[in-house]
Amino acid sequence: MNDMTVPAQASSTGAPLNLSRRGFLGASLGALVLGVALPARQARAQQADAPAIKPGTRVNAFLEIRPDGTVLFRSPFMEGGQGIFTALAQIVGEELDVEPTQFVMEPAPPGPDYLLIGGMRFTGGSMSVRLSYDAMRRLGAAARQMLLQAAAVQLGVPLAELTTEPGRVVHAASGRSLAYGDLAGAAAALPVPENVTLRERADFRWIGKPFARLDIHAKSTGKARYAIDQTVDDMLYGAVQHARRLGMEPGDISNEAQVRAMPGVHSVHRLPGAVAVLANSWWRARRAAEALEVNWTEPASGTANAMPADFSTEGHLAKLKAMPGAGLDFETEGDAAAALAGATQKVEAVYDAPYLAHGQLEPSSALARFNADGTLELWLPNQAPEMFQADAAKVAGLSPDKVILHSQLLGGFFGRHFLYTTANAYPQAILLAKASGRPVKLLWSREEEFLRDALRPMAVARFRAGLDANGLPVAYEAVAVGEGPAGRWFGRKTDKVDSSSVEGIAGKPYAIPNRRIAQIHVDDPMIIGFWRSVGHSMNDFFSETFFDEMADAGKQDPYALRLRLLADKPRHKALLEAVADLSGGWKRGPFTAQDGTRRARGVAMASPFGSEVATIAEVSLRDGEVVVHDVWVAIDPGSIVNPAIINAQVNSAVALGLSSALFEEAVYAEGVPRARNYDGYPILPPDRMPKVHVRIVESGAPMGGIGEPGVPGVPPAVVNAASVLTGKRIRSLPLSKQRLSAGEG
Amino acid sequence: MELTINGQTHQVDIEPDTPLLWVLRDELGMTGTKYGCGLAQCGACTVLVHGQATRSCVTPVETVAGAKIMTIEAIETDPVGQKVVEAWVAQQVPQCGYCQSGQVMAATALLKQSARPTDEEIAGAMVNLCRCGTYNAIAAAVREAAQA
Amino acid sequence: MKKLAAFVVLAVLAVGAGYWFATRIPASPFDSVGSATAPLPVERGEYAARLADCVACHSTEGGKAFTGGLAMGTPLGTIFSTNITPDRETGIGGYTLAQFDNAVRRGVAPDGRRLYPAMPHPSYAKMSDDDVRALYDYFLHHVPAVRQENRPTTIAWPLNMRWPLAFWNLAFADAGSYRPAPAHDEIWNRGAYLVQGPGHCGSCHTPRGLALQEVALDERDPRFLSGALLDGWYAPSLRNDHNTGLGRWSEEDVATFLKDGRNQHGVVFGSMMEAFNNSTQFMTDGDLAAIARYLKSLPGDAARDGAPWSYQAAAAPAPAGPMASGARIYAARCGFCHGSDGRGRNEWISPLAGASSVLALENASVINITLNGSGRVVAAGVPDAYRMPALRDQLSDGEIADVLTFIRGSWGNRAASVTAEEVRTLRELTNAASSDPIVLQMR
Ligand code: FES
Ligand code: FES
């Protein structure tokens, strides 16, 4: 999603500010305060005749300073482990002059104040900090300014004589000071200042520092609550059995009466593409739902999203590989065709990568309750509250302002919790709450989660390169085949390439004079989605591994060749040298390690989400499998907020990238997935985790993303290293599909 | 049937093959123990039974009636658990946090059995999955807790 | 593939045989009976069909009941079970009772063609006239007719000729229905009838000879139900072998196992899971008690079985080698369910300590279930709470060999170690079990 353009109509899903939501009131009531929050009625009134709200400016929508000096902050972004709550507390706290530890973070409700990503809101694309950084700093500074103004009135001194220290306004001349908590009420009534001065970078106390995360203790003691943990009075538990293939619908249920009689069962329901059981515990609901013997009807022809009964991943791969044509140009430079024709040596290869599941550890769930006042309350995981609110309203037949959305802490997401048709639990929860007249907490079993996840698309890339007499690449042509998720969910123009299908093949920094990057679009029959680092997750594997093929064909060292082709790209060159330095100097191998294993190293670069990354991996072979010992990552996100979080995110990204390289592959036959749990879809276990070494380089370039950029370099670095040991190029993932053996070399 | 959890006894009336996990979460409202797979694959549901790491999703409740069960809710009342939590905070282990109840319980079980575990023992005991890839931080935290 | 067709050596057997013999229509006690008998209540024939587990082979998951089409691999090619709904053109709607009887008990189609012995007619031969009549009534009057063409076998000429099968029948199939043994009581005789006849337990549990025939069809031969290898599973001894058979089971244990799919000794898996899901759980308590009585009367063979197993706490393994690596893998992958003591969890999760499948000489079942996991046990319409995951994508051949070596050598178990090659062979021949509950519908 590097340069994902946000379509204009999406911003219209912004719902009116709804301050009456329970969580909001609950929070302020619990603290017994006069917070700065606007009373609900006032907020609505303002909404009706107020001019359009500029996202990220209204202090009161974000901040509530409580009498004890703690700050309740409504985060526009969802916390799912990427550390956004802590980063925002650092950023806002820096300007507000409140210790980040004093912040209590919660996800903001839907509302126009929070549409900080180009007029809309989602947590993804590693965009949260970089696209809100300025606004959040100004917000903190504005709030501080309001507190100063209130203090000036209260103390009867000129504003200019006042300063702040963390949590207090200080009048140095008289030695008096006032706590923020005591000023909050008065400050809230003031208009938000238009112009504020921001702190000098040099004066930062928290931004840029390895500040401890705010959520660690709660998450280490089981106190953090996720969607799956929410309960309300009188709630029923729901479980579903989905049709094995999308598009099939439930016909008669041969044992319905028998299932109704099972212990704890409340009722049996038919839903679009699923059947459900409500019961007094989830386990009972689940067993009963599994027991339902359903006659599924085949989809009528033309049913949207229907999964063909004969679909197989093997067949789809063959189809992508056989796709004819030259594709639609995306990025061109010079004349690749002519240069290829004139090249001394040609290199050609076809690469592929499989569908991937998100496999976040928390399976999907949603809790729905219809209230007496006609509102619908929802507790659910999501990456885009306004979009979910609008869709839930449609499902419930309500207007969006009647849908109160409590976004939840995410038990992992990696792109899982976007609004993918058919991949979310809440429409079912809404229908069940409606049908039963009771609140319903619906949870998908791990098996149902695997069945309905939106997958990282399968992709193929065809490469042709031409080398000159010195073995240097002079022509480069890459054609990606498949479909990108951005086009699927945000609209695709048939005459334009969806950047999410080529990012990582396109946008490479190497100086190859004649280049053509193109794409052949093929509709993917699967529900595809965003997966951490999106197109980069496979495309950098394709392009960076093919890079080594070019290097080998031209008898060049792959590291040296990269350096050479980056000669006029100082940022990239420095980063590549940084990672080599971090790893103790570049050596490709094979070499024998101290423990006697034969090892090799591979290198790869990637430019994802506004950041630059260079990766080196060291591997050996054991029993036909690749063992990765060390991964060195140099990352340049331009400028940073919290190096400790970056370090953790890179570790996490290495784990996910490695998992995809070694194990992951969603296989379908006859329209159904082979694996429905982690047994058949293994993810990286602890004993396969390499040591990870991170160096953060702050080049001062515009701020880039952090959550995703660590992923794409890992598969190519690992595969490039493995190829040194096997003496064979590996062009298909995951590596576990093949038994590898050491080659001659 | 009577269950002893975190030193308290609870009477539950439930089918004997119900997994302990769902008795904890739905009957007793103790949601710190998580559901990840229900198939003994991930360890998110780890609790201690007689001090041993036990995956509650594959533990029929009747088989632990009368046993001493400890869940994450009591972790800070346990001296070893307390040390583990401190190390978890010091090493800033959790990311999304979903697997971490189980990880902390597994670490606590290990340190109860072996106060100074070798790296190999740590690798042998810390086998729970973490999709966020906190494995290196987990290993560091277990080593730190063992030193404490 | 369900039952192995036993005809590898047919061509040899056929040499010099008379064609007349091989194509004649045998006599049936029903030759003079018309088909226009009054229909019986549906339950009568349905029960007989449950006993004989017709649905297991003559239906496919998702297909209409009894329309056939199930592929059965044989060494010579694939054969497909046939449509036995009363459709007149593609099914058995045109069969007289006598023709039906000849097919079921003698393996002869109305046109004289011999059925492949994938159809267990050597066992069905022992079925009573009453049960055959009930089956006929059921299929002709209570099963809905479905038009569905039978699929031809993929076996090529000359091995696809059916007439030589007659000689296989002559050689290996007993003639005549079950005759009660006067030395035993009625319950024992009922059990013997069910086991040998409709239940066709020997199809899986009795070793096969060179022509793939079951080497024994009743208790007169000590090899009857003494355990056999079939389709990547080892069906253990159903005799009173202390270690590898039912020696430590009570009659009640046996009946419970067949009724609930589980008891404290183990849980049904592999092909037995299918037999349970579709057949044994539907049997009456009386019939299950009879089966238990009969099986428990079959003596074990101490010489074959070895020293009697008794539980021993696991000793700490040597620091290196397969036992050590197996112990590690066991702790990480198996112990959470089967217990660090190998004792399982009551009847819900099988013990590995002392389990007959673990102690068996043949290691196919333990390898298979470790690679592929178990399908769902569906008892009284409710899928099981706990299933064995498939570990084929997580453990290498060597790791599976090590962990099975550890399991087969711990807690008093004294079975031979497992090699990576054995695991590799089975890995290539098998697939992971489905985690969907699969119940073949009869109505
Ligand atoms: S939920 Fe118990 S191991 Fe995954
Ligand atoms: S911290 Fe997210 S799964 Fe472990």
Short mmCIF file of all heavy atoms in Angstrom, two decimals, chain C residues 136-175:
data_model
loop_
_atom_site.label_atom_id
_atom_site.label_comp_id
_atom_site.label_asym_id
_atom_site.label_seq_id
_atom_site.Cartn_x
_atom_site.Cartn_y
_atom_site.Cartn_z
N TYR C 136 -32.69 -56.51 1.47
CA TYR C 136 -33.34 -56.38 0.17
C TYR C 136 -34.55 -55.46 0.28
O TYR C 136 -34.72 -54.52 -0.50
CB TYR C 136 -33.75 -57.76 -0.35
CG TYR C 136 -34.46 -57.73 -1.68
CD1 TYR C 136 -33.75 -57.48 -2.85
CD2 TYR C 136 -35.85 -57.94 -1.77
CE1 TYR C 136 -34.40 -57.45 -4.08
CE2 TYR C 136 -36.50 -57.92 -2.99
CZ TYR C 136 -35.78 -57.66 -4.15
OH TYR C 136 -36.41 -57.62 -5.36
N ASP C 137 -35.33 -55.74 1.30
CA ASP C 137 -36.52 -54.92 1.54
C ASP C 137 -36.14 -53.45 1.73
O ASP C 137 -36.74 -52.54 1.18
CB ASP C 137 -37.24 -55.43 2.79
CG ASP C 137 -38.35 -54.48 3.23
OD1 ASP C 137 -39.41 -54.51 2.59
OD2 ASP C 137 -38.10 -53.71 4.18
N TYR C 138 -35.07 -53.26 2.48
CA TYR C 138 -34.64 -51.89 2.78
C TYR C 138 -34.22 -51.16 1.51
O TYR C 138 -34.66 -50.05 1.23
CB TYR C 138 -33.49 -51.95 3.79
CG TYR C 138 -32.88 -50.59 4.09
CD1 TYR C 138 -33.61 -49.62 4.79
CD2 TYR C 138 -31.59 -50.29 3.68
CE1 TYR C 138 -33.05 -48.38 5.08
CE2 TYR C 138 -31.02 -49.05 3.97
CZ TYR C 138 -31.76 -48.10 4.66
OH TYR C 138 -31.21 -46.87 4.93
N PHE C 139 -33.36 -51.83 0.76
CA PHE C 139 -32.83 -51.13 -0.42
C PHE C 139 -33.91 -50.94 -1.50
O PHE C 139 -33.90 -49.96 -2.21
CB PHE C 139 -31.61 -51.87 -0.99
CG PHE C 139 -30.38 -51.63 -0.17
CD1 PHE C 139 -29.80 -52.64 0.58
CD2 PHE C 139 -29.82 -50.36 -0.12
CE1 PHE C 139 -28.69 -52.39 1.35
CE2 PHE C 139 -28.71 -50.11 0.66
CZ PHE C 139 -28.14 -51.13 1.39
N LEU C 140 -34.83 -51.91 -1.61
CA LEU C 140 -35.83 -51.78 -2.66
C LEU C 140 -36.97 -50.85 -2.27
O LEU C 140 -37.53 -50.15 -3.11
CB LEU C 140 -36.40 -53.16 -3.04
CG LEU C 140 -35.67 -53.92 -4.13
CD1 LEU C 140 -36.00 -53.30 -5.51
CD2 LEU C 140 -34.17 -53.95 -3.95
N HIS C 141 -37.30 -50.79 -0.98
CA HIS C 141 -38.51 -50.05 -0.59
C HIS C 141 -38.27 -48.79 0.21
O HIS C 141 -39.13 -47.94 0.29
CB HIS C 141 -39.46 -50.97 0.20
CG HIS C 141 -39.92 -52.14 -0.59
ND1 HIS C 141 -39.76 -53.44 -0.18
CD2 HIS C 141 -40.51 -52.20 -1.81
CE1 HIS C 141 -40.23 -54.26 -1.09
NE2 HIS C 141 -40.70 -53.54 -2.10
N HIS C 142 -37.14 -48.66 0.83
CA HIS C 142 -36.96 -47.52 1.74
C HIS C 142 -35.86 -46.56 1.32
O HIS C 142 -35.77 -45.46 1.84
CB HIS C 142 -36.70 -48.02 3.16
CG HIS C 142 -37.81 -48.84 3.71
ND1 HIS C 142 -39.05 -48.33 3.99
CD2 HIS C 142 -37.88 -50.18 3.99
CE1 HIS C 142 -39.83 -49.30 4.45
NE2 HIS C 142 -39.15 -50.43 4.44
N VAL C 143 -35.00 -47.00 0.42
CA VAL C 143 -33.94 -46.10 -0.04
C VAL C 143 -34.44 -45.40 -1.31
O VAL C 143 -34.98 -46.05 -2.19
CB VAL C 143 -32.65 -46.91 -0.35
CG1 VAL C 143 -31.62 -46.05 -1.06
CG2 VAL C 143 -32.07 -47.48 0.93
N PRO C 144 -34.32 -44.08 -1.37
CA PRO C 144 -34.79 -43.39 -2.58
C PRO C 144 -33.93 -43.77 -3.80
O PRO C 144 -32.71 -43.90 -3.68
CB PRO C 144 -34.61 -41.90 -2.26
CG PRO C 144 -34.07 -41.81 -0.87
CD PRO C 144 -33.74 -43.17 -0.38
N ALA C 145 -34.61 -43.99 -4.92
CA ALA C 145 -33.89 -44.34 -6.14
C ALA C 145 -33.17 -43.10 -6.67
O ALA C 145 -33.74 -42.02 -6.72
CB ALA C 145 -34.86 -44.85 -7.19
N VAL C 146 -31.92 -43.26 -6.99
CA VAL C 146 -31.15 -42.15 -7.57
C VAL C 146 -30.47 -42.66 -8.83
O VAL C 146 -29.81 -43.70 -8.81
CB VAL C 146 -30.08 -41.63 -6.59
CG1 VAL C 146 -29.28 -40.50 -7.23
CG2 VAL C 146 -30.70 -41.18 -5.28
N ARG C 147 -30.67 -41.92 -9.90
CA ARG C 147 -30.02 -42.30 -11.14
C ARG C 147 -28.59 -41.80 -11.11
O ARG C 147 -28.32 -40.61 -11.09
CB ARG C 147 -30.76 -41.65 -12.30
CG ARG C 147 -30.72 -42.43 -13.57
CD ARG C 147 -31.22 -41.66 -14.76
NE ARG C 147 -30.28 -41.90 -15.84
CZ ARG C 147 -30.20 -43.05 -16.50
NH1 ARG C 147 -31.04 -44.03 -16.22
NH2 ARG C 147 -29.28 -43.22 -17.42
N GLN C 148 -27.68 -42.71 -11.08
CA GLN C 148 -26.26 -42.32 -11.13
C GLN C 148 -25.46 -43.47 -11.71
O GLN C 148 -25.40 -44.56 -11.13
CB GLN C 148 -25.75 -41.95 -9.74
CG GLN C 148 -24.29 -41.50 -9.77
CD GLN C 148 -23.82 -40.97 -8.42
OE1 GLN C 148 -24.42 -40.08 -7.85
NE2 GLN C 148 -22.73 -41.54 -7.92
N GLU C 149 -24.89 -43.22 -12.88
CA GLU C 149 -24.15 -44.28 -13.57
C GLU C 149 -22.98 -44.75 -12.73
O GLU C 149 -22.34 -43.96 -12.04
CB GLU C 149 -23.60 -43.75 -14.91
CG GLU C 149 -24.66 -43.42 -15.96
CD GLU C 149 -25.40 -44.65 -16.50
OE1 GLU C 149 -24.90 -45.79 -16.29
OE2 GLU C 149 -26.48 -44.47 -17.09
N ASN C 150 -22.70 -46.05 -12.82
CA ASN C 150 -21.51 -46.56 -12.15
C ASN C 150 -20.27 -46.20 -12.93
O ASN C 150 -20.30 -46.11 -14.16
CB ASN C 150 -21.62 -48.08 -11.99
CG ASN C 150 -22.69 -48.43 -10.98
OD1 ASN C 150 -22.83 -47.78 -9.95
ND2 ASN C 150 -23.47 -49.46 -11.29
N ARG C 151 -19.19 -45.99 -12.25
CA ARG C 151 -17.94 -45.65 -12.94
C ARG C 151 -17.15 -46.92 -13.22
O ARG C 151 -17.03 -47.79 -12.36
CB ARG C 151 -17.10 -44.72 -12.06
CG ARG C 151 -17.74 -43.35 -11.89
CD ARG C 151 -16.88 -42.46 -11.03
NE ARG C 151 -15.57 -42.18 -11.66
CZ ARG C 151 -14.68 -41.37 -11.11
NH1 ARG C 151 -14.91 -40.80 -9.95
NH2 ARG C 151 -13.52 -41.15 -11.73
N PRO C 152 -16.64 -47.03 -14.43
CA PRO C 152 -15.85 -48.22 -14.75
C PRO C 152 -14.54 -48.24 -13.96
O PRO C 152 -14.04 -47.19 -13.58
CB PRO C 152 -15.58 -48.06 -16.25
CG PRO C 152 -15.75 -46.60 -16.53
CD PRO C 152 -16.70 -46.06 -15.52
N THR C 153 -14.02 -49.42 -13.76
CA THR C 153 -12.74 -49.51 -13.06
C THR C 153 -11.64 -49.02 -13.98
O THR C 153 -11.81 -48.92 -15.20
CB THR C 153 -12.39 -50.96 -12.68
OG1 THR C 153 -12.01 -51.63 -13.88
CG2 THR C 153 -13.55 -51.66 -12.02
N THR C 154 -10.50 -48.73 -13.39
CA THR C 154 -9.35 -48.33 -14.22
C THR C 154 -8.42 -49.52 -14.44
O THR C 154 -7.31 -49.36 -14.89
CB THR C 154 -8.56 -47.20 -13.55
OG1 THR C 154 -8.00 -47.72 -12.32
CG2 THR C 154 -9.44 -46.01 -13.22
N ILE C 155 -8.92 -50.71 -14.08
CA ILE C 155 -8.08 -51.90 -14.28
C ILE C 155 -8.13 -52.31 -15.75
O ILE C 155 -9.19 -52.39 -16.34
CB ILE C 155 -8.58 -53.05 -13.38
CG1 ILE C 155 -8.50 -52.61 -11.90
CG2 ILE C 155 -7.78 -54.32 -13.62
CD1 ILE C 155 -9.15 -53.57 -10.94
N ALA C 156 -6.97 -52.54 -16.32
CA ALA C 156 -6.90 -52.81 -17.74
C ALA C 156 -7.05 -54.31 -18.04
O ALA C 156 -6.78 -55.16 -17.19
CB ALA C 156 -5.57 -52.31 -18.29
N TRP C 157 -7.48 -54.63 -19.27
CA TRP C 157 -7.53 -56.02 -19.72
C TRP C 157 -6.12 -56.59 -19.71
O TRP C 157 -5.19 -55.85 -20.01
CB TRP C 157 -8.11 -56.05 -21.15
CG TRP C 157 -8.40 -57.44 -21.61
CD1 TRP C 157 -9.55 -58.14 -21.43
CD2 TRP C 157 -7.50 -58.29 -22.32
NE1 TRP C 157 -9.44 -59.39 -21.97
CE2 TRP C 157 -8.18 -59.51 -22.53
CE3 TRP C 157 -6.18 -58.17 -22.80
CZ2 TRP C 157 -7.59 -60.59 -23.19
CZ3 TRP C 157 -5.60 -59.25 -23.46
CH2 TRP C 157 -6.32 -60.44 -23.64
N PRO C 158 -5.88 -57.82 -19.39
CA PRO C 158 -6.85 -58.88 -19.12
C PRO C 158 -7.25 -58.95 -17.65
O PRO C 158 -8.12 -59.71 -17.29
CB PRO C 158 -6.09 -60.13 -19.51
CG PRO C 158 -4.67 -59.81 -19.16
CD PRO C 158 -4.50 -58.35 -19.41
N LEU C 159 -6.62 -58.11 -16.83
CA LEU C 159 -6.90 -58.27 -15.40
C LEU C 159 -8.28 -57.78 -15.03
O LEU C 159 -8.73 -57.98 -13.91
CB LEU C 159 -5.83 -57.54 -14.59
CG LEU C 159 -4.46 -58.22 -14.70
CD1 LEU C 159 -3.36 -57.32 -14.14
CD2 LEU C 159 -4.46 -59.56 -13.98
N ASN C 160 -8.95 -57.11 -15.98
CA ASN C 160 -10.29 -56.64 -15.65
C ASN C 160 -11.34 -57.70 -15.92
O ASN C 160 -12.52 -57.48 -15.74
CB ASN C 160 -10.61 -55.35 -16.40
CG ASN C 160 -10.67 -55.56 -17.90
OD1 ASN C 160 -10.32 -56.65 -18.40
ND2 ASN C 160 -11.10 -54.54 -18.62
N MET C 161 -10.94 -58.88 -16.38
CA MET C 161 -11.92 -59.94 -16.59
C MET C 161 -12.40 -60.45 -15.24
O MET C 161 -11.62 -60.61 -14.31
CB MET C 161 -11.29 -61.09 -17.38
CG MET C 161 -11.08 -60.71 -18.85
SD MET C 161 -10.59 -62.12 -19.84
CE MET C 161 -9.08 -62.59 -19.08
N ARG C 162 -13.69 -60.64 -15.17
CA ARG C 162 -14.26 -60.97 -13.86
C ARG C 162 -14.40 -62.47 -13.62
O ARG C 162 -14.43 -62.91 -12.48
CB ARG C 162 -15.64 -60.34 -13.71
CG ARG C 162 -15.71 -58.86 -13.97
CD ARG C 162 -15.10 -58.08 -12.82
NE ARG C 162 -15.51 -56.68 -12.92
CZ ARG C 162 -16.56 -56.18 -12.29
NH1 ARG C 162 -17.28 -56.94 -11.51
NH2 ARG C 162 -16.89 -54.93 -12.44
N TRP C 163 -14.50 -63.26 -14.73
CA TRP C 163 -14.86 -64.66 -14.50
C TRP C 163 -13.85 -65.44 -13.69
O TRP C 163 -14.22 -66.29 -12.89
CB TRP C 163 -15.20 -65.38 -15.81
CG TRP C 163 -14.09 -65.36 -16.85
CD1 TRP C 163 -13.93 -64.44 -17.82
CD2 TRP C 163 -13.02 -66.29 -16.96
NE1 TRP C 163 -12.81 -64.72 -18.55
CE2 TRP C 163 -12.24 -65.86 -18.05
CE3 TRP C 163 -12.66 -67.46 -16.27
CZ2 TRP C 163 -11.09 -66.54 -18.44
CZ3 TRP C 163 -11.53 -68.15 -16.67
CH2 TRP C 163 -10.75 -67.68 -17.75
N PRO C 164 -12.56 -65.09 -13.78
CA PRO C 164 -11.64 -65.89 -12.96
C PRO C 164 -11.88 -65.72 -11.47
O PRO C 164 -11.46 -66.54 -10.66
CB PRO C 164 -10.27 -65.33 -13.35
CG PRO C 164 -10.47 -64.69 -14.68
CD PRO C 164 -11.85 -64.13 -14.62
N LEU C 165 -12.59 -64.65 -11.09
CA LEU C 165 -12.88 -64.44 -9.67
C LEU C 165 -13.67 -65.59 -9.08
O LEU C 165 -13.63 -65.84 -7.88
CB LEU C 165 -13.67 -63.14 -9.49
CG LEU C 165 -12.85 -61.86 -9.66
CD1 LEU C 165 -13.77 -60.68 -9.91
CD2 LEU C 165 -11.99 -61.63 -8.45
N ALA C 166 -14.37 -66.27 -9.93
CA ALA C 166 -15.15 -67.42 -9.46
C ALA C 166 -14.24 -68.44 -8.79
O ALA C 166 -14.62 -69.10 -7.83
CB ALA C 166 -15.91 -68.05 -10.61
N PHE C 167 -13.03 -68.56 -9.33
CA PHE C 167 -12.12 -69.56 -8.76
C PHE C 167 -11.55 -69.08 -7.44
O PHE C 167 -11.27 -69.84 -6.53
CB PHE C 167 -11.02 -69.89 -9.77
CG PHE C 167 -11.62 -70.44 -11.02
CD1 PHE C 167 -11.80 -69.65 -12.14
CD2 PHE C 167 -12.09 -71.75 -11.04
CE1 PHE C 167 -12.41 -70.14 -13.26
CE2 PHE C 167 -12.71 -72.26 -12.17
CZ PHE C 167 -12.87 -71.44 -13.30
N TRP C 168 -11.41 -67.74 -7.35
CA TRP C 168 -10.99 -67.16 -6.07
C TRP C 168 -12.06 -67.50 -5.04
O TRP C 168 -11.79 -67.95 -3.96
CB TRP C 168 -10.86 -65.65 -6.26
CG TRP C 168 -10.24 -64.94 -5.10
CD1 TRP C 168 -8.93 -64.65 -4.94
CD2 TRP C 168 -10.92 -64.43 -3.95
NE1 TRP C 168 -8.74 -63.99 -3.75
CE2 TRP C 168 -9.95 -63.85 -3.13
CE3 TRP C 168 -12.26 -64.43 -3.54
CZ2 TRP C 168 -10.26 -63.25 -1.92
CZ3 TRP C 168 -12.57 -63.83 -2.33
CH2 TRP C 168 -11.57 -63.24 -1.53
N ASN C 169 -13.32 -67.32 -5.45
CA ASN C 169 -14.41 -67.63 -4.54
C ASN C 169 -14.38 -69.10 -4.14
O ASN C 169 -14.55 -69.45 -2.98
CB ASN C 169 -15.76 -67.35 -5.21
CG ASN C 169 -16.01 -65.85 -5.33
OD1 ASN C 169 -15.29 -65.06 -4.73
ND2 ASN C 169 -17.00 -65.49 -6.12
N LEU C 170 -14.18 -69.93 -5.13
CA LEU C 170 -14.17 -71.37 -4.87
C LEU C 170 -13.09 -71.69 -3.85
O LEU C 170 -13.28 -72.47 -2.93
CB LEU C 170 -13.90 -72.12 -6.18
CG LEU C 170 -13.93 -73.64 -6.07
CD1 LEU C 170 -15.34 -74.11 -5.73
CD2 LEU C 170 -13.43 -74.28 -7.36
N ALA C 171 -11.95 -71.04 -4.03
CA ALA C 171 -10.82 -71.34 -3.16
C ALA C 171 -10.99 -70.77 -1.77
O ALA C 171 -10.61 -71.38 -0.79
CB ALA C 171 -9.53 -70.81 -3.79
N PHE C 172 -11.53 -69.56 -1.67
CA PHE C 172 -11.42 -68.85 -0.39
C PHE C 172 -12.73 -68.53 0.31
O PHE C 172 -12.73 -68.15 1.46
CB PHE C 172 -10.64 -67.55 -0.59
CG PHE C 172 -9.28 -67.78 -1.17
CD1 PHE C 172 -8.90 -67.16 -2.34
CD2 PHE C 172 -8.38 -68.65 -0.53
CE1 PHE C 172 -7.64 -67.38 -2.87
CE2 PHE C 172 -7.13 -68.86 -1.07
CZ PHE C 172 -6.75 -68.23 -2.24
N ALA C 173 -13.83 -68.59 -0.40
CA ALA C 173 -15.08 -68.21 0.25
C ALA C 173 -15.80 -69.43 0.78
O ALA C 173 -15.92 -70.43 0.10
CB ALA C 173 -15.97 -67.45 -0.73
N ASP C 174 -16.23 -69.35 2.03
CA ASP C 174 -17.03 -70.41 2.62
C ASP C 174 -18.42 -70.36 2.01
O ASP C 174 -18.92 -69.29 1.74
CB ASP C 174 -17.19 -70.17 4.12
CG ASP C 174 -16.10 -70.83 4.91
OD1 ASP C 174 -15.18 -71.40 4.27
OD2 ASP C 174 -16.14 -70.77 6.14
N ALA C 175 -19.03 -71.50 1.85
CA ALA C 175 -20.41 -71.47 1.41
C ALA C 175 -21.32 -71.60 2.62
O ALA C 175 -20.94 -72.14 3.64
CB ALA C 175 -20.68 -72.61 0.43
#
